[in-house]
Amino acid sequence: MKQVFEAAENLVRSDQTFAIATVVGTRGSTPQKPGAKLLVQQNGHGIGTLGGGCVEGDIWFAAKEILHDNGYPQLKNYFLNEDIAAREGLVCGGSMTFYIEQIDQGNPFKSFVHDIVSAYNGADPVALATVTKTKDTLQSIGSKLLIKGNKSTLGTLGTPHLDSYAISLADEVMSMGRNIYVTTETGEQIFIEGYTAPPTVVLMGGGHIAKSVAALVEQLQYRLFVMDDREEFANTKRFPYATDTLVSTY
């Protein structure tokens, strides 16, 4: 979801309000897994995907409603039953939980997005914990804690106990870019996401097989480097998704 955070960082710089919907939980067969995101701008333009079809359309509409009403964050459950599958031509039959929130001046996400983008680009990994549900009031829903590799933190989940709990789980998700959705003993639900540079693929040679492999690498959102001793086989026009191309006899 690097492109979602890059877009978010640009919108934060221009002081624009937007919404982000995140898959925080799934069960059974679903079009996307936890961590998938859709950014929705005020003009309705979306970046990222939640799997397409009726799922994405409904969550996009909910995000637009939150932006229109300047609303509270929402936690929505979506059940992909047989009727929906038949109507939409889906093969999925599971359930999905989405967390949708508005990113505006008061949202701590704006202070953290640069660290997340930097982690994607090779800086130290980070983890972001978000409270998605509480037993009491709405006030702490959306509270966030950014945890860095050296265990330093920014923000808070509301109490030292919740902060310590999230920090204890951060290593589990941070280094591999994984995520975890947990329920605490006191009933809070917390989604913790790890961010790090994606795996890197180096293609030694830019021939026709390399072009086919490069297309798969792009779909996986891995970083791609291409090396060839012929300039016509190692260039950004031939490999537009490559992080870099190098002409060398290696």
Side-chain angles (χ1 to χ4, degrees), residues 59-243:
I59 300 303
W60 174 89
F61 182 79
K64 282 288 292 177
E65 288 292 290
I66 288 176
L67 287 172
H68 180 268
D69 298 334
N70 198 28
Y72 286 112
Q74 293 183 15
L75 196 64
K76 297 181 71 71
N77 292 312
Y78 202 101
F79 299 95
L80 304 173
N81 58 36
E82 292 181 0
D83 291 339
I84 293 175
R87 186 174 71 246
E88 300 292 333
L90 299 172
V91 296
C92 307
S95 63
M96 306 178 75
T97 301
F98 300 90
Y99 174 71
I100 315 168
E101 65 177 342
Q102 177 172 284
I103 310 298
D104 54 16
Q105 284 288 351
N107 195 304
F109 175 88
K110 299 185 74 171
S111 303
F112 305 152
V113 64
H114 176 72
D115 293 280
I116 294 171
V117 172
S118 295
Y120 270 121
N121 289 330
D124 290 340
V126 298
L128 179 63
T130 302
V131 176
T132 63
K133 186 176 182 180
T134 66
K135 291 180 63 178
D136 300 319
T137 69
L138 287 169
Q139 295 304 311
S140 62
I141 294 178
S143 298
K144 290 177 168 47
L145 178 72
L146 185 78
I147 306 147
K148 300 185 178 183
N150 60 5
K151 295 301 194 313
S152 64
T153 62
L154 296 172
T156 180
L157 298 181
T159 69
H161 174 72
L162 288 180
D163 289 349
S164 297
Y165 182 63
I167 292 169
S168 71
L169 296 173
D171 284 341
E172 186 177 336
V173 301
M174 192 183 304
S175 61
M176 299 299 293
R178 297 173 56 239
N179 58 68
I180 186 173
Y181 195 35
V182 295
T183 301
T184 70
E185 294 179 353
T186 50
E188 292 88 1
Q189 292 180 7
I190 304 173
F191 188 57
I192 307 174
E193 303 170 89
Y195 303 103
T196 188
T200 297
V201 174
V202 180
L203 296 178
M204 307 296 285
H208 64 282
I209 294 177
K211 272 190 67 69
S212 297
V213 173
L216 296 175
V217 172
E218 190 276 327
Q219 290 182 29
L220 292 169
Q221 299 184 20
Y222 291 179
R223 293 192 300 173
L224 173 65
F225 295 84
V226 181
M227 182 181 294
D228 200 294
D229 61 354
R230 301 158 294 181
E231 186 174 356
E232 63 271 25
F233 283 87
N235 58 74
T236 55
K237 184 176 181 180
R238 184 171 174 82
F239 295 97
Y241 301 112
T243 302

